[in-house]
């Protein structure tokens, strides 16, 4: 989407041009690569997680959906994509019907209630990295191509070899191969539309916890779950987590501490950018407020912004993403 501006007078036009030049300058925050450093810290501490994710239940529902679809008729990749999306919409309706009235974070629910279709970033997009990280689906696969291939293989397999007739679990076999999609054993019955609760059952929670702990060893996430420390945390602001993390392994705490220092540094840059932006548009009072905040942060955390302190952060991140 392009940026537009309606000119009512020369002064307003001049201010708008200043803003345009500011936004296009080489000093823009994204151009500094801060997002990549932020993501590196996120992957070190909480691998497989992102701000788009809302409920842990999806980590169990999606592999189960894929395991169900591989035993249905799918002609090609395009049809697989369409079928998965349709199933996600049906799943969303089931979660809306089966979850508590005050539940938030059911992806796509608000759009469907308003009759605006479905979300742009669907479940397959939002949870794919986490599903791979936690060992619930193979890494690096194209989920739609894989489903089309597995469906063709399943349809071409003689019925007597598709599974035992006594209804026993065949989750470890698919036409002689290891099952690609790891499920927790719950039957979510995607062929019907019974209400489904977004909250995790005890069985689901324990299964997912074990998968995360096993597949993210060495991360803060794995340590918090495995040690049970997460149960005692009541303050979730990143700045205040240090009160609960002071006794964790030294290496984990160092990663957290450097991430905290980096977040302060990034905040300082955003404040500075906001100040320059407000100056460019003539919002002098707002610029003064940002300048005061900048000065306060620099005074309180100035020691953390020295070149050697920033270099320590860069060295850690570089060692992880090189």
């Amino acid at each position: 989407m392009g940026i537009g501006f309606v000119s009512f007078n020369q002064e307003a036009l001049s201010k708008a041009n200043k803003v345009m030049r500011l936004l296009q300058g080489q000093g823009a925050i994204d151009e500094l690569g801060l997002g990549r450093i932020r993501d590196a810290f996120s992957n070190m501490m909480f691998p497989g997680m992102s701000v788009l994710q809302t409920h842990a239940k999806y980590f169990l529902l999606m592999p189960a959906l894929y395991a169900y679809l591989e035993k249905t008729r799918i002609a090609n990749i395009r049809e697989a994509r369409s079928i998965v999306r349709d199933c996600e919409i049906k799943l969303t309706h089931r979660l809306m019907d089966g979850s508590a009235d005050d539940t938030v974070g059911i992806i796509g629910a608000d759009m469907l209630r308003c009759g605006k279709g479905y979300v742009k970033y669907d479940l397959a997009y939002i949870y794919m990295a986490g599903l791979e990280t936690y060992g619930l689906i193979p890494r690096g696969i194209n989920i739609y191509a894989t489903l089309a291939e597995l469906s063709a293989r399943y349809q071409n397999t003689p019925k007597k070899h598709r599974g035992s007739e006594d209804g026993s679990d065949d989750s470890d076999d698919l036409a002689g191969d290891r099952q690609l999609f790891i499920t927790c054993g719950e039957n979510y019955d995607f062929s019907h539309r019974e209400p489904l609760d977004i909250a995790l059952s005890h069985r689901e929670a324990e299964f997912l916890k074990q998968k995360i702990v096993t597949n993210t060893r060495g991360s803060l996430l794995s340590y918090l779950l495995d040690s049970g420390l997460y149960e005692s945390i009541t303050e979730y602001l990143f700045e205040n987590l240090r009160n609960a993390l002071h006794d964790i392994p030294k290496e984990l705490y160092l990663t957290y501490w450097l991430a905290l220092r980096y977040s302060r540094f990034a905040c300082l840059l955003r404040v500075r950018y906001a100040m320059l932006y407000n100056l460019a548009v003539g919002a002098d009072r707002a610029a003064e407020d940002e300048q005061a905040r900048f000065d306060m942060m620099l005074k309180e955390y100035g020691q953390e912004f020295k070149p050697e302190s920033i270099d320590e952060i860069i060295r850690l991140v570089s060692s992880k993403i090189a």
Side-chain angles (χ1 to χ4, degrees), residues 69 72-88 142-149 151-152 155:
L69 289 179
T72 63
R73 190 173 299 278
I74 301 175
N76 50 48
I77 296 177
R78 183 175 180 179
E79 185 176 55
R81 187 184 299 273
S82 177
I83 290 175
V84 168
R85 189 172 180 84
D86 287 345
C87 286
E88 289 180 359
N142 180 315
I143 190 64
Y144 307 111
T146 300
L147 285 175
E149 178 183 349
S151 173
Q155 298 302 323

Side-chain angles (χ1 to χ4, degrees), residues 35-45 317-318 320-321:
R36 189 179 183 194
I37 300 175
R38 175 204 61 214
D39 293 344
F41 274 119
S42 176
N43 290 333
M44 279 187 272
M45 294 186 294
V317 172
S318 297
K320 300 297 183 180
I321 63 177

